[in-house]
Structure formats: C-alpha cells, structure tokens
Amino acid sequence: MDDMLKIMKELGNARLLEMYKTMLAIRHFEEHVRYLFLEGIMPGTIHQYDGQEACAVGVCEALQEGDIIGSTHRPHGHAIARGIELKAAMAELFGKTTGCCKGKGGSMHLGDLSRGMFPAVAIVGGNAPIVMGIALSFKMQKKPNVAVSFVGDGAANEGAFHEAVNMASANRLPALFVIENNLYGASTRVSLVSNVDDLSVRAGAYGIEGVSVFGNDVLEVYAAAKRLIDKARNGGGPSILELKTFRRCGHSRRDARLYITKEDSDYWMPLDPIPIFAKVLLENGVSDQSGLDKISEAVDSEIEEAVEYAKASPDPVPEDVFADFWV
Ligand SMILES: Cc1ncc(C[n+]2csc(CCOP(=O)(O)OP(=O)(O)O)c2C)c(N)n1
Ligand SMILES: [Mg+2]
C-alpha cells in the first residue's frame, strides 16, 4: 500500500490520468477495430490487445525519449502506449498512405522508429534479437538508452528469444525482455509447454535478474519496469520481467476462445486492468467518476476521428512499392 502511494506521488495526478487515458484508448481502439473488421470494412487480419493494457502502458511509462521498443503480432497496444498517434495507427490498419508505415505494414507491423518503436515483427520471438542488437548499438555508441522487447509466453520458448537474452546478458546490454504471459500461445496453455510457474526464473540461467508481477495492475507494472529499465540504463545489464495477464479477446480474428478453461476464465475475467486502475484513481482522489467519464468520451471521439481520417486517406499507388527501399 505504502509503495503504491509512493509511486502515485512520483507520477503525479496528470501522468496518472494520462496513463488511464492511454489504457482506455487501447481498449476502445480495439473495440472499434473489431467491428470494422467484422463488418468487412477493415482489410487484413488482427490480433488484439484487450485485457493487456496495463502491460504496455506500465512499461512504456517508464521509458525515455530515445529508448526503443520491439513488439509482436499483437502490437496495437504497444504502439499506442509508445505514443504513435491513433490516426497513424488506424490508417496503418487500413493500409493507407497516412499510416505509420505508409500502409505497407498493416496491423502486425505497426511501428515508427521516430517514436521509439521499430515496426513490429510477427515472427514469434523475432523481435528479441533485433532489440538485443539495438541495445548493443546503444552500448557501443555510449547512448543513455534502453531497448525493450515485448514477447508472449509462447515466444519465451523460441530459440530466438534464448539467443537474444543470452547475448544481451553476456554483453551486459541495456535491454529489458518483457514476457506478457497471457497463459496461452494461440490455443496452447502455457502449462503444456513449460515446466515452471514463473517464466522469469529462466533469468537465472543467464545470470541476470528475473521478476514476475501481476500484469493487470498498471502501477505494479510501472514500478517493476521502471526499476529494471533504470538499472539497465545505469549499466546494470538486462533483465527479464514477466507480466501475468490475460487476453480478453480471441487470439486473432473470429476466434471463439473455446480452448480457454473455465478456471482461467473465472479467475481472470473479473481482473480487468481498466476498472482496477479506475478504482485506485477514485479511492485516492485523483479523479471523480465524472472526470473518468469525460476521459472516456474524449477517447471515443478521438477514435471516431481516427477512423474517419483513415477511411478518407489515400490508398498507396503501385509505384509506392519501390519507395523506402534500403539498398
Ligand atoms: C515462429 C512462428 N511460429 C508460429 C507462428 C504463428 N503464431 C502467431 S502468434 C502465435 C502464438 C504466440 O503466442 P504468444 O507468444 O504467447 O503471444 P500471444 O499471441 O499470446 O500474444 C503463433 C503460434 C509465428 N507467427 N511465428
Ligand atoms: Mg501468450
């Protein structure tokens, strides 16, 4: 309790409300996107982030300008939390030229290096070695920055993840590997493919620090991430941060989630990170209910604007295929 009050004081009311707004923006963005997709208005495919908002927002709040994150096939929340504009994210999902990757990436490749997030890598575990390389470049160039890899519980079993953490630890790089353990890799429960309860214990095999926290409490996530990111920034090397969370939506489009066990659902569905944070804000006098309602309304109109913007934006033309090549 005292710790939480300390963190809230450190952040201050304006930042706390901004964090709440970003969590709501992610949730409402996903809700809009789901309807647009099911109505056939939005092209491509989608992997949504509903339920994991506290992870992206808590970690990204602990970053500074110049830090870089890498994300996965499920990147909408990371992109919004890192500060990519709703319009640029929405337009990217529509494949429009005004999108953050000029419409060439789509849902699974959201990113904008100028905002501190390279385009997401949909190969499971695939962003971790790139993040390690970025951390190596920060160290070689003596930059005061940290690189953060977001991966899932499934990705934590990939060779690429192991190679990246091993290289980062051997070279004491300024990196943080965040495992968002939402209990399932597609339809496979984590307990079927891992023999440990806390995936962070694997940090011991690399001689680095590993921490597991409740990932649906944004303040707990922030506190843990801040400490490990600051440690990496100050030469303390990389760590693994496991965030225990739950995806409240299907793995990808039209997934009926029939594989989710009743026990998991009964335990996790009441633990929605947004009402959890709202309660903290209300109980500590950071806002009253009407203040939170106003934030929600503001977020909705920003998202509606983003949808209209994306719809009205131009499609790429065939010649655009040859633009932005690195040769
Ligand atoms: C190397 C690789 N194998 C398989 C896939 C297909 N695939 C996409 S997402 C996914 C599950 C990933 O689970 P997890 O890492 O837990 O992330 P989550 O979907 O839960 O966010 C799989 C198997 C892929 N994209 N890349
Ligand atoms: Mg998972």
Side-chain angles (χ1 to χ4, degrees), residues 64-67 138 141-146 174 232-234:
Q64 294 179 3
E65 201 170 333
D67 294 345
F138 286 157
Q141 295 174 59
K142 300 192 167 44
K143 284 190 179 168
N145 293 113
V146 177
R233 201 183 303 286
N234 295 322

Side-chain angles (χ1 to χ4, degrees), residues 25 28 39 44 57 106 117 157 171 180 191 238 246 272 274 291 294 302 317:
H28 291 198
E39 286 166 2
V57 172
M117 172 179 181
N157 295 329
N171 292 284
E180 290 181 36
S191 48
F246 193 64
D272 184 331
I274 293 177
K294 281 202 190 95
E302 279 175 39
V317 293

Side-chain angles (χ1 to χ4, degrees), residues 7-299:
I7 296 161
M8 290 180 74
K9 212 169 155 210
E10 173 187 318
L11 286 163
N13 286 3
R15 270 176 86 187
L16 289 168
L17 291 174
E18 200 52 46
M19 288 164 77
Y20 181 73
K21 184 178 180 192
T22 307
M23 288 172 69
L24 270 188
I26 296 171
R27 178 68 58 90
H28 291 198
F29 182 92
E30 295 296 37
E31 284 164 358
H32 277 71
V33 164
R34 186 148 47 247
Y35 285 111
L36 290 164
F37 182 81
L38 292 174
E39 286 166 2
I41 296 168
M42 178 175 281
T45 188
I46 41 169
H47 299 83
Q48 302 198 280
Y49 199 67
D50 310 51
Q52 300 180 211
E53 294 86 353
C55 301
V57 172
V59 173
C60 289
E61 190 62 31
L63 294 173
Q64 294 179 3
E65 201 170 333
D67 294 345
I68 293 177
I69 68 167
S71 176
T72 69
H73 56 284
R74 199 180 300 288
H76 305 175
H78 302 133
I80 294 169
R82 193 68 186 111
I84 291 179
E85 285 176 12
L86 294 174
K87 284 182 178 171
M90 192 63 83
E92 189 58 39
L93 266 63
F94 272 91
K96 299 298 184 84
T97 54
T98 52
C100 53
C101 296
K102 300 186 187 171
K104 291 181 177 179
S107 164
M108 281 196 279
H109 305 291
L110 287 187
D112 179 348
L113 204 47
S114 72
R115 302 268 169 156
M117 172 179 181
F118 64 85
V121 179
I123 298 165
V124 172
N127 81 64
I130 300 172
V131 163
M132 185 278 294
I134 292 171
L136 179 61
S137 81
F138 286 157
K139 183 168 179 177
M140 291 173 75
Q141 295 174 59
K142 300 192 167 44
K143 284 190 179 168
N145 293 113
V146 177
V148 174
S149 168
F150 285 97
V151 297
D153 45 287
N157 295 329
E158 288 284 345
F161 178 75
H162 161 77
E163 292 167 33
V165 181
N166 185 55
M167 283 290 283
S169 61
N171 292 284
R172 219 178 159 78
L173 301 181
L176 177 65
F177 297 91
V178 177
I179 303 173
E180 290 181 36
N181 182 358
N182 60 10
L183 293 182
Y184 291 83
S187 57
T188 303
R189 198 176 191 284
V190 62
S191 48
L192 294 174
V193 289
S194 167
N195 197 32
V196 291
D197 290 331
D198 293 332
L199 295 170
S200 63
V201 299
R202 294 180 182 177
Y206 308 103
I208 60 173
E209 186 175 353
V211 180
S212 291
V213 303
F214 177 48
N216 285 11
D217 178 338
V218 71
L219 296 179
E220 223 181 291
V221 173
Y222 167 79
K226 178 86 168 76
R227 186 176 69 73
L228 297 175
I229 287 168
D230 286 354
K231 175 177 162 179
R233 201 183 303 286
N234 295 322
S239 316
I240 291 178
L241 173 60
E242 182 197 30
L243 304 175
K244 311 254 190 208
T245 185
F246 193 64
R247 132 167 92 62
R248 303 177 72 82
C249 54
H251 167 67
S252 66
R253 56 194 173 145
R254 301 192 188 93
D255 168 12
R257 307 169 85 242
L258 298 176
Y259 48 85
I260 304 251
T261 67
K262 185 174 179 313
E263 291 73 34
D264 286 341
S265 193
D266 287 352
Y267 182 80
W268 281 97
M269 287 309 272
L271 298 175
D272 184 331
I274 293 177
I276 287 177
F277 193 34
K279 189 162 177 268
V280 171
L281 296 174
L282 294 171
E283 283 179 357
N284 288 281
V286 178
S287 174
D288 56 16
Q289 189 57 49
S290 84
L292 298 187
D293 292 345
K294 281 202 190 95
I295 293 176
S296 179
E297 284 159 29
V299 161

